[in-house]
Amino acid sequence: MAESVADDWQAPGDLAAPLPITVLGAGLAGSEAAWQLARRGHRVRLVEMRPGRTTPAHTSGLCAELVCSNSLKSEELDTAHGVLKEELALAGSLLLQAARRTRVGAGHALAVDRHRFAALVTATLQGLPGVELVAAAATSLPEPGDGLALVATGPLTAAELAAALAERVGQAHLSFYDALAPIVDGATIDQSLAFWGTRYDKGEPDYLNCPLDQAEYLALWEGLSGAARVQPRPFEEVRFFEGCQPVEQIAMAGAEALRFGPCKPVGLFDPRTGRPAYAVVQLRRENAAGSAFNLVGFQTRLTQPEQRAVLRRIPALREASFLRYGAIHRNTYLDAPRVLRADLSLRTAPHLFVAGQLTGGEGYLEAVATGLAAALALDARLAGRLFAAPPPTTVLGGLLRYLRQGPIRGPFAPSNAHFGLLDEPELVFRGRGSRRQRRLSLAERALTAARSWWQQQPGVVLAGPDEVLASVPAGPASP
């Protein structure tokens, strides 16, 4: 049963004309929440500190700026992220539709031109009645008298606000470190030493593959293993998220580790020899023009001189010019099962809700999903209803349950969306048919449950693509 919070806190003043909802942070979660709340008739103050105050990873003041990869992962329904996208589509997600409007080729993955994507989201929110964009740095948390608020400041929350949040929950916040992959100038890639294709010949050949023979691979592995790294400050405890290990950290596991990870050559043939490649480094377009490419899976904390020296050991990148170097930055998140209620509000401050990576939902799409869920919870609170999360047979419901309950064993840690979070996945995984067929059965079950859940929500009509796209400006907006 959903946890009730309506009986121990009410918004101040007349609930028929409540104060604007304050949303701190115009990243993925905050932008999606603002959109969802405004569509339901609420007034929103969307507060973003950029561009006046930036972070080590951001480069603009646009809403929903992507700071790591430009990929929102697979769209195939035999993956949890593919199913989650369809669940978000049912909800009329602004960010999903904006991503599909600004996509660049990435095989079966949904990757975007990151500037066009952020500009499109920003222009949409700027033109949305009921949303006020406020450029200011929030250094403290709203008080109960300020009305309901959503904290969605992301993994790079300003130090003052992070300290206020830690004080409010009564315990130190947790943190881990995330790493960015380098981006190279497309014109400086030697495409005579590379080829287009995808692993397993799956989907469109949207990746530019840089093949390596055994000697070239070992030279790259040795370089990554022994290169100088940016060292953390003495008071910083470095803990990398398991799903985003720096490439040099992977290399330290042994000479073959990269060939079973980011350099996996399965299904790729070296055109220089006509034989299967010994190893590959895949590049993915960062924009529609193909003028910039991301080194897939090569997030790193090497120093910039070492990145130039080591990565130029890849034959196709010997003359590469770096548009962005890999880097590390601190990510902040809460111990969600201990500090959050079922509706994503703080146990110690029920007027404050939390969404995005602060919840421990790790990943772009997960941030969007928790922003959407928090908006629904805020809407329910103002209407005097209990928030009922989607069933755990859906990907969103499974993720929210994990944030509420945590792992069966061990301490809470950030998690991506995956099929293991759903109810009884073993009933599908152990069934008959191929692995893909069983996953598709799980997807069908999830989407059937998601449609049923949405149909039961007060005042909600299932969104179709035309309805949502009609609400989004037709072309790329100016920054």
Side-chain angles (χ1 to χ4, degrees), residues 78-430:
D78 61 347
T79 69
H81 286 94
V83 177
L84 183 54
K85 287 180 180 67
E86 297 311 310
E87 293 179 9
L88 293 174
L90 287 171
S93 167
L94 167 66
L95 270 68
L96 177 64
Q97 299 304 323
R100 287 175 169 169
R101 293 284 300 271
T102 59
R103 68 187 309 150
V104 298
H108 60 276
L110 175 59
V112 304
D113 181 318
R114 66 178 74 214
H115 177 79
R116 286 189 62 222
F117 169 74
L120 185 54
V121 173
T122 303
T124 303
L125 292 174
Q126 286 173 336
L128 189 62
V131 174
E132 177 191 5
L133 278 170
V134 179
T139 57
S140 61
L141 294 168
E143 296 297 330
D146 300 324
L148 295 177
L150 174 63
V151 184
T153 45
L156 300 178
T157 296
E160 304 97 322
L161 194 63
L165 190 57
E167 181 179 359
R168 187 65 65 100
V169 300
Q171 64 184 65
H173 59 271
L174 305 176
S175 65
F176 65 95
Y177 285 76
D178 204 357
L180 310 182
I183 295 174
V184 297
D185 184 343
T188 64
I189 301 168
D190 186 347
Q191 296 203 23
S192 69
L193 299 176
F195 64 97
W196 292 93
T198 56
R199 292 188 177 102
Y200 309 102
D201 195 26
K202 191 175 184 180
E204 296 298 319
D206 288 326
Y207 290 87
L208 187 58
N209 298 279
C210 305
L212 306 170
D213 62 25
Q214 185 174 12
E216 292 162 346
Y217 169 79
L218 290 175
L220 176 63
W221 171 73
E222 289 172 354
L224 289 170
S225 300
R229 307 170 189 194
V230 174
Q231 296 301 311
R233 289 171 287 185
F235 61 87
E236 295 176 329
E237 179 189 1
V238 180
R239 292 190 296 155
F240 293 103
F241 174 54
E242 184 178 354
C244 196
Q245 291 284 322
V247 65
E248 64 274 8
Q249 200 79 11
I250 298 173
M252 289 180 64
E256 291 292 292
L258 294 173
R259 293 186 67 236
F260 287 90
C263 294
K264 182 166 59 177
V266 176
L268 296 170
F269 289 79
D270 188 339
R272 300 174 298 180
T273 64
R275 297 191 297 270
Y278 186 81
V280 297
V281 175
Q282 287 196 313
L283 309 180
R284 181 178 57 231
R285 280 175 287 212
E286 277 285 311
N287 52 33
S291 61
F293 284 77
N294 185 295
L295 276 69
V296 179
F298 268 63
Q299 52 273 1
T300 180
R301 59 184 177 125
L302 298 184
T303 64
Q304 292 185 7
E306 292 282 42
Q307 289 184 49
R308 288 194 299 271
V310 173
L311 297 179
R312 284 175 177 166
R313 296 185 183 189
I314 301 167
L317 301 183
R318 283 174 182 151
E319 304 296 329
S321 175
F322 290 78
L323 301 177
R324 183 190 75 184
Y325 288 97
I328 62 168
H329 57 85
R330 185 180 186 184
N331 282 4
T332 303
Y333 67 95
L334 296 171
D335 189 349
R338 295 184 180 180
V339 305
L340 294 182
R341 297 170 181 261
D343 65 353
L344 299 179
S345 65
L346 290 178
R347 295 180 184 278
T348 56
H351 70 290
L352 297 177
F353 291 70
V354 183
Q357 291 195 32
L358 279 175
T359 65
E362 171 61 26
Y364 289 156
L365 213 60
E366 291 81 354
V368 175
T370 56
L372 185 151
L376 297 180
L378 281 157
D379 180 65
R381 176 76 68 84
L382 287 172
R385 304 190 312 267
L386 292 178
F387 169 65
T393 50
T394 66
V395 177
L396 175 56
L399 177 64
L400 292 176
R401 180 175 63 178
Y402 175 78
L403 298 181
R404 183 173 71 251
Q405 298 179 356
I408 297 175
R409 297 182 181 86
F412 176 75
S415 176
N416 294 116
H418 57 84
F419 281 140
L421 297 178
L422 277 60
D423 256 0
E424 301 178 329
E426 67 277 1
L427 297 182
V428 175
F429 288 143
R430 293 176 185 172

